[in-house]
Amino acid sequence: MTESASARTPLSPTSRSALTRYRDRAATDRAALDAILDAGLVCHLGVLLHGAPVVLPTTYGRDGDTLYLHGSTGAGNLRAALAAGVSVAVTHLDGIVYARSAMHFSMNYRSAVIHGRAVEVTDHEERLHGLRAVVEHAAPGSWDHVRPPTKKELAATTVLALDLTEASVKTRSGHPSDDAEDMTSQAWAGVLPVRQIFDAPIPSHDLAPGIDIPAHVSSRVDAPVPATP
Amino acid sequence: MTESASARTPLSPTSRSALTRYRDRAATDRAALDAILDAGLVCHLGVLLHGAPVVLPTTYGRDGDTLYLHGSTGAGNLRAALAAGVSVAVTHLDGIVYARSAMHFSMNYRSAVIHGRAVEVTDHEERLHGLRAVVEHAAPGSWDHVRPPTKKELAATTVLALDLTEASVKTRSGHPSDDAEDMTSQAWAGVLPVRQIFDAPIPSHDLAPGIDIPAHVSSRVDAPVPATP
């Protein structure tokens, strides 16, 4: 994600974003928010639909203090998101915490939750900018590699901008926190690390011969990529 | 997760859970819902708080047609969840779909979204049953391995039950879907697979000597994958 030159806003701990539990896990560092957002691939968008919350997974992009979302103009969910406040969560699971007692089992994670009003972007240039942010977030280096949106495609797409001012960050890391009286337990205690990886790219079935996997794709792979025949 | 012997309810495509877009991606197969829930580790819970949706990551467990959630009795979020309907999403990201045009970039995924009313479980045995489902979901084989909850711990814990009747499943898999006029593009098109793995367990810093990693933990570890340098 590209960074805006504007001054960065600190996290605002309002009654909604302040944590009611585990205040020691709250980080007021804006850099932590950006890091969590930038490392994520999918967010969970909460909107109000017919008076009830609805949570939907979707992609996103960030530029400075703005989170961009997009969707089809035909999607009722995004239209509903404009009418009320939205909530966006990005979560990374880092480990399963095995404790010596059932109620101390936990997860190691990094989580960001943003609250605010999603505004429909109407300016042509900012719409392109927002869509570029979303595509580049999911697939860095791709926007300039592929055909840009046509007028017709743009007309069928809603771009939303959400300010990152009101957000909270929660993280847990490290070992289990067991009670003193359980320390003589013979149960194994520790962390099972969880990680998201990219495997070797799979070329499209209809890819023309002679088109190699470009560096902006192959460089993301965690496991070794098999040599091209 | 254990299966109940009760008859399984098919997915109910109400106006809220029916998809407004991509109807071809909706699967009305109840088995698909269960598979997505059982393979997940974290869900995103949407609740209504002060009139606005709030999305929070949390753990869960399933038994038959019931999804169990738990939290501290001091957590305002779970109390709010009792007052209004909730939405719970579980999402697996399977790949990033690289297309030949920006607007055809997509994700391969499996996603379940449940709508309904979360009911606080008050019966002692069902509370234990629900907590067991949550712990066993995150860490199979652990409940009988560790100290069970005390009366004091139980008093500090809220257990919620959510019926799985109203739910929708969305999935995307396979190759990019490019426009015919883009097939002469020299852009690479294909899928970058994404996967969540378990790395080698890390024993707690205060684990007594001689306690080996039990099979119910070590059996979850995926084959070693080199981390990105």
Side-chain angles (χ1 to χ4, degrees), chain A residues 78-128:
Chain A
L78 273 175
R79 293 240 165 261
L82 297 178
V86 302
S87 180
V88 173
V90 174
T91 305
H92 302 274
L93 183 60
D94 294 327
I96 297 171
V97 182
Y98 285 74
R100 295 162 177 96
S101 67
M103 299 311 288
H104 279 298
F105 272 68
S106 188
M107 297 282 187
N108 281 342
Y109 63 95
R110 291 158 289 143
S111 161
V113 181
I114 305 146
H115 308 285
R117 207 160 284 275
V119 177
E120 183 164 356
V121 179
T122 52
D123 176 74
H124 176 74
E125 287 306 318
E126 196 191 342
R127 278 163 55 78
L128 278 179

Side-chain angles (χ1 to χ4, degrees), chain B residues 31-78:
Chain B
L33 172 66
D34 291 349
I36 289 169
L37 294 179
D38 293 354
L41 290 167
V42 168
C43 69
H44 281 84
L45 168 68
V47 298
L48 200 58
L49 206 61
H50 309 308
V54 173
V55 178
L56 299 161
T58 189
T59 56
Y60 66 95
R62 182 181 76 85
D63 182 19
D65 293 336
T66 304
L67 194 84
Y68 288 105
L69 305 166
H70 78 316
S72 163
T73 50
N77 302 316
L78 273 175

Side-chain angles (χ1 to χ4, degrees), chain B residues 110-163:
Chain B
R110 290 159 289 143
S111 160
V113 180
I114 305 146
H115 308 286
R117 206 160 285 274
V119 177
E120 182 164 356
V121 180
T122 52
D123 176 74
H124 176 74
E125 286 306 317
E126 198 191 343
R127 277 162 56 78
L128 277 178
H129 185 76
L131 292 172
R132 184 190 180 109
V134 172
V135 168
E136 285 288 303
H137 186 96
S142 292
W143 184 267
D144 292 331
H145 186 71
V146 302
R147 175 176 66 70
T150 62
K151 279 185 184 175
K152 191 179 168 185
E153 285 175 332
L154 284 174
T157 305
T158 302
V159 180
L160 298 178
L162 177 64
D163 197 274

